[in-house]
Amino acid sequence: YVCHQTKEEVKSCRELVQKAHINSQPIPKEAESPWRNTGVEENLEKFLKMKTGQYQEGEAFLRMKGDLESDNPAMWDTAFYRIKYSAHPKAGDKWCIYPTYDYTHCVVDSLENITHSLCTLEFETRQAADGPYYWLLDAIDIYKPVTWEYSRCNITHNVLSKRKLNSLVTKNIVRGWDDPRLLTLDGLRRRGYTPSAINTFCEQIGVTRSGVVTTQMHVLENCIRLELDASSNRVFAVLKPIKVEIKDFGEPQEMKAPNHPKDPSKGERPLTLRDTIYIERDDFRTQDDPSYYGLAPEKEVGLLGTGVVLKCTGFKKGKNGEVESIQATCRPRGDSKPKGNLHWISAKDAVSCEVRIYNNLFTIENPNAPPGTTEAAKAEGDAEGEGDEEEPEAKSGPSWLDFINPQSLVVESSAMIEPSIKEVAEKPGTSFQFQRLGFFVVDLDSTKGKPVFNRTVALKQGF
């Protein structure tokens, strides 16, 4: 039936039903919606008005005429269709009414001939034998799948609730549903995660029915790290380049570098060492330190893949006081073993690119239960239900949105890569190890004119 009750009125009626069940009393008439017993023809007419945009949002919605006598609250006339005047990601503005989870889940499962419908425990009452899942399938007399429920999996520093994800997208906190900071399938794919890595993660954590399971983000990260370490070609990239001018260098030196140090079948790539190169700004200090492995005045470091040792003989600062170039000499490595080895790119061959460094989206482990929330609120937040698309009432205290990490995305727009990688700049999903930096993937925005890479995961586990 089409109902015109407000959200507050629906809540009040449900509270009356709940009170009657608690006190073992008959359901009072005022607990019913005034439109509960409207005739079929009138409901069809009103539903057509909903479909054709003749009601405002919240002015009307379609409800199942369930069983208020049922001990299962999911049967108390839950919503089946709502009015929503916003463009659908795929259908655009074609529709202004949308079915709810309680209506679509069982019907789609049946039409797609699903044998076992697997969900999380918050859906258990909906999919119980006396719940709306089987009530609707019985009412329209179609095939009924088996339903199983398991504990919900949360991952630290992330939210997985569709409601919260929608808030992040609609409030432009992230760049869309495929933002690599989100653990949506499109977000994971864009960040460089593979189906096999996600399956490995699921196999490692297993399944249970004992409450909410919260897994550390580094467990997921390690699954993709191990896979990419075995499969990804190695290349040089410099994220924050600083120029090094090598005195009396002579002619350019041509050399070959392995694409993968443990897999000769992946072949080699050409590198050219010239008199002017770029190294990472973080790999140079004006004053050395015993624990520092980078370049410093009068200190020697190796250049990866060259057999050459570089020695800093001086540096030049710009007007802002920052070092803008380094002077150096070089010599063959021989039998000497420098303290550190740096990645590098010849300035003449370097290709400009954009590199996006993704970090945790939230500064706290459990954004579902921010600091200062009660234990009851924490439990509610951890197991937040997804069945009703309506926003829950705002609660006092800190908001989960207060803990967005301002450094969750750092864009290095002046990064440089070696020329061998440019040929795959228009192949999103291609992964590499940027040596000494991490694993990176070609982004959807990438072009040959402006390659764009996303960091999938750092080389080492961080806490």
Side-chain angles (χ1 to χ4, degrees):
Y1 64 94
V2 174
C3 182
H4 301 280
Q5 284 188 303
T6 64
K7 183 178 179 180
E8 292 74 22
E9 289 169 340
V10 171
K11 180 182 178 183
S12 177
C13 285
R14 291 180 67 85
E15 287 174 348
L16 289 174
V17 176
Q18 184 181 39
K19 184 177 179 181
H21 278 278
I22 291 173
N23 296 323
S24 300
Q25 296 175 343
I27 305 299
K29 187 67 178 177
E30 56 269 25
E32 296 184 5
S33 164
W35 293 273
R36 193 170 196 266
N37 296 306
T38 307
V40 173
E41 292 302 321
E42 184 177 344
N43 277 311
L44 288 172
E45 183 181 333
K46 288 183 175 181
F47 188 64
L48 181 61
K49 288 183 178 180
M50 287 176 58
K51 179 181 175 182
T52 53
Q54 298 182 53
Y55 291 118
Q56 297 300 312
E57 282 191 27
E59 189 178 353
F61 65 105
L62 186 71
R63 301 177 72 174
M64 67 176 276
K65 190 175 180 179
D67 181 8
L68 301 183
E69 300 287 347
S70 172
D71 292 331
N72 188 340
M75 287 297 294
W76 299 347
D77 293 13
T78 188
F80 270 3
Y81 264 89
R82 297 188 189 278
I83 299 169
K84 194 171 184 64
Y85 293 109
S86 59
H88 188 273
K90 294 184 178 179
D93 296 321
K94 183 177 180 180
W95 298 92
C96 64
I97 56 170
Y98 292 93
T100 63
Y101 175 90
D102 285 311
Y103 181 76
T104 56
H105 183 201
C106 57
V107 174
V108 171
D109 280 352
S110 181
L111 294 179
E112 293 186 352
N113 203 33
I114 299 299
T115 58
H116 294 74
S117 182
L118 312 181
C119 292
T120 45
L121 286 171
E122 65 262 32
F123 297 104
E124 196 166 27
T125 57
R126 289 174 161 88
Q127 297 175 173
D130 63 346
Y133 186 98
Y134 289 113
W135 178 91
L136 181 56
L137 294 180
D138 280 329
I140 58 181
D141 192 24
I142 58 176
Y143 159 70
K144 294 185 283 293
V146 175
T147 58
W148 287 350
E149 297 83 27
Y150 297 97
S151 296
R152 178 190 183 94
C153 175
N154 287 338
I155 299 178
T156 56
H157 300 284
N158 288 277
V159 291
L160 297 177
S161 154
K162 291 190 293 291
R163 186 182 295 121
K164 284 187 167 70
L165 291 172
N166 187 58
S167 293
L168 292 171
V169 173
T170 55
K171 293 176 182 179
N172 296 317
I173 296 171
V174 296
R175 295 181 175 183
W177 288 95
D178 64 349
D179 190 298
R181 289 168 289 185
L182 300 182
L183 298 187
T184 59
L185 289 180
D186 282 346
L188 285 165
R189 183 183 297 112
R190 192 168 182 179
R191 188 155 175 174
Y193 279 78
T194 62
S196 53
I198 297 172
N199 284 336
T200 298
F201 169 73
C202 293
E203 289 169 3
Q204 286 187 8
I205 65 173
V207 292
T208 181
R209 284 179 54 86
S210 58
V212 177
V213 176
T214 299
T215 303
Q216 294 290 326
M217 180 64 185
H218 67 76
V219 177
L220 175 60
E221 289 178 335
N222 199 49
C223 292
I224 189 64
R225 182 184 290 114
L226 291 174
E227 181 175 310
L228 293 180
D229 182 57
S231 64
S232 297
N233 285 356
R234 273 56 170 171
V235 295
F236 289 152
V238 177
L239 305 190
K240 300 176 182 178
I242 185 170
K243 185 181 292 185
V244 179
E245 298 166 330
I246 306 174
K247 184 179 179 182
D248 299 329
F249 179 77
E251 292 297 315
Q253 297 182 21
E254 305 287 342
M255 57 198 72
K256 297 282 187 178
N259 286 323
H260 196 295
K262 300 176 184 177
D263 187 355
S265 68
K266 288 184 174 292
E268 298 177 322
R269 67 190 192 281
L271 290 176
T272 304
L273 181 62
R274 304 180 188 274
D275 60 0
T276 304
I277 63 173
Y278 290 119
I279 65 170
E280 289 288 351
R281 183 170 292 275
D282 293 342
D283 282 337
F284 177 76
R285 291 182 183 176
T286 56
Q287 291 186 332
D288 197 12
D289 183 275
S291 61
Y292 183 57
Y293 286 77
L295 188 63
E298 301 304 316
K299 182 179 180 180
E300 290 187 334
V301 295
L303 294 180
L304 285 173
T306 66
V308 167
V309 171
L310 195 71
K311 180 178 181 180
C312 173
T313 58
F315 57 87
K316 180 182 178 182
K317 289 186 176 182
K319 292 181 180 180
N320 60 2
E322 285 192 356
V323 176
E324 61 180 23
S325 64
I326 301 167
Q327 293 78 51
T329 58
C330 71
R331 64 171 178 82
R333 182 189 296 260
D335 295 329
S336 64
K337 187 177 181 181
K339 187 174 182 179
N341 290 282
L342 311 182
H343 60 282
W344 55 277
I345 296 177
S346 289
K348 183 178 179 180
D349 305 319
V351 175
S352 177
C353 68
E354 179 179 298
V355 177
R356 299 168 183 173
I357 307 297
Y358 290 98
N359 300 300
N360 288 330
L361 183 54
F362 292 91
T363 57
I364 56 175
E365 277 202 353
N366 187 2
N368 294 305
T373 54
T374 64
E375 290 302 316
K378 284 182 180 180
E380 181 181 345
D382 283 341
E384 182 184 39
E386 298 284 4
D388 193 353
E389 290 79 1
E390 289 291 280
E391 283 287 340
E393 293 183 5
K395 298 179 175 64
S396 59
S399 165
W400 60 283
L401 290 173
D402 295 337
F403 298 92
I404 297 290
N405 179 9
Q407 297 298 311
S408 62
L409 171 59
V410 178
V411 179
E412 301 294 352
S413 56
S414 302
M416 299 288 180
I417 55 171
E418 62 177 71
S420 66
I421 205 174
K422 190 176 181 181
E423 62 188 42
V424 296
E426 291 183 324
K427 296 180 180 179
T430 307
S431 293
F432 297 91
Q433 184 193 104
F434 290 0
Q435 291 190 250
R436 299 182 64 237
L437 298 175
F439 296 96
F440 293 76
V441 66
V442 180
D443 185 64
L444 295 172
D445 296 335
S446 183
T447 64
K448 282 190 176 181
K450 185 182 179 183
V452 180
F453 300 89
N454 299 326
R455 187 175 73 177
T456 304
V457 67
L459 284 180
K460 295 182 179 180
Q461 180 174 300
F463 296 96

